[in-house]
Amino acid sequence: MTNLLSVSNVTKIYETGKRKVVGVKDISFCVKQGEFVSVIGPSGCGKSTLLRCIAGFEKTNKGNICLDGQKVKRPEPNRFMVFQGLDQLFPWLTLKENIVFAMKVVDKKQGNLEKKAEHYLELVGLEGFGDFYPYQLSGGMKQRASIARALSVRPKLLLMDEPFGSLDAFTRRAIHQMFLNVWQKTGVTVIFVTHDMEEAIDLSDKIIVFSKGRLK
Ligand code: ADP
Ligand code: MG
């Protein structure tokens, strides 16, 4: 398997007024095509910072991030982030419309986007819910829909920042199983941030462990 992502000596320092806060320091690792990599560590150790740098939301102070040989400079749809929050979808659009909207923005070609949206909803176990609005869904269903929308733009890398952190234990278990199936079916490469060791062990091929931050 070839390397899809390489993170080399990445340091991110936040400057807020006169204070400098280390987000991450001197991080290096590679992710192969199709791998499921978890990043674990306590709160404040820089997990979200690392994902935001890979997404291109933050500029690094040092080091390089390359996806498929291209240096990451800004957000692009080849990397799609799914967050912990349960309100990531447009509330005034149905699930199908949310997905169609994302596909239209990324790919101007007009195919049968509605049919494609239905395919992605089915993939995450939401067949028949395309005409529902986000407020009509449970938390687990909202996260499934966010995953469907992310996959619909066919990113090379799916970045997930504690995506199941707001869900109860029963829902998490079901969504883990669903997500593993989706990962196997689509072959998408995943970087998955969590502070839950069990979740990381259950889901991933490889686990990157961050040590604690400066403050607890
Ligand atoms: P984690 O996701 O592991 O909980 P974060 O990446 O959010 O950790 O934070 C790592 C460190 O960077 C923390 O000390 C945090 O306070 C700091 N930090 C994160 N985002 C910002 C920001 N936008 N401005 C200043 N400091 C930040
Ligand atoms: Mg975080």
Side-chain angles (χ1 to χ4, degrees):
M1 279 192 292
T2 49
N3 275 337
L4 178 70
L5 178 82
S6 72
V7 174
S8 320
N9 306 107
V10 164
T11 294
K12 169 69 192 173
I13 295 165
Y14 295 102
E15 298 195 25
T16 44
K18 284 186 185 155
R19 288 201 55 195
K20 288 189 178 181
V21 180
V22 176
V24 288
K25 194 173 170 197
D26 208 18
I27 304 279
S28 299
F29 65 93
C30 287
V31 177
K32 292 191 194 317
Q33 178 79 47
E35 250 183 337
F36 194 134
V37 176
S38 285
V39 178
I40 61 168
S43 183
C45 68
K47 304 181 296 297
S48 296
T49 299
L50 172 69
L51 275 203
R52 290 204 301 266
C53 290
I54 296 171
F57 301 160
E58 303 278 1
K59 288 223 171 349
T60 58
N61 297 78
K62 274 193 212 154
N64 268 314
I65 300 174
C66 285
L67 182 76
D68 238 357
Q70 300 276 331
K71 199 169 165 185
V72 166
K73 291 182 178 158
R74 64 185 80 83
E76 284 165 302
N78 59 14
R79 287 149 281 137
F80 206 115
M81 184 94 109
V82 177
F83 299 91
Q84 178 174 1
L86 300 180
D87 295 307
Q88 300 174 58
L89 302 165
F90 291 127
W92 59 87
L93 297 181
T94 64
L95 296 193
K96 212 189 301 180
E97 288 166 346
N98 263 281
I99 296 174
V100 167
F101 182 89
M103 288 192 289
K104 268 190 190 158
V105 171
V106 170
D107 182 0
K108 299 278 185 289
K109 278 193 300 243
Q110 306 289 314
N112 189 343
L113 295 186
E114 288 220 352
K115 201 157 177 70
K116 286 188 187 165
E118 276 164 13
H119 161 75
Y120 285 102
L121 285 171
E122 198 180 321
L123 195 63
V124 299
L126 286 179
E127 59 275 16
F129 288 95
D131 295 329
F132 280 56
Y133 286 88
Y135 74 86
Q136 296 174 306
L137 304 180
S138 67
M141 291 163 87
K142 285 183 188 173
Q143 291 312 72
R144 284 172 188 254
S146 295
I147 292 168
R149 182 182 58 175
L151 292 169
S152 75
V153 305
R154 302 177 61 81
K156 287 183 180 162
L157 188 58
L158 194 55
L159 301 168
M160 306 185 82
D161 195 353
E162 308 206 30
F164 309 140
S166 305
L167 306 178
D168 63 81
F170 293 105
T171 308
R172 275 166 89 117
R173 195 164 284 263
I175 216 167
H176 283 168
Q177 201 48 56
M178 176 283 293
F179 190 58
L180 278 178
N181 288 337
V182 165
W183 171 64
Q184 275 161 5
K185 275 191 193 154
T186 59
V188 68
T189 309
V190 181
I191 304 185
F192 186 95
V193 162
T194 179
H195 56 253
D196 182 339
M197 190 91 73
E198 234 175 271
E199 185 170 61
I201 291 168
D202 282 352
L203 295 178
S204 29
D205 289 325
K206 185 159 95 185
I207 301 178
I208 297 171
V209 182
F210 275 32
S211 56
K212 71 174 173 62
R214 281 184 313 124
L215 298 172
K216 276 197 178 166

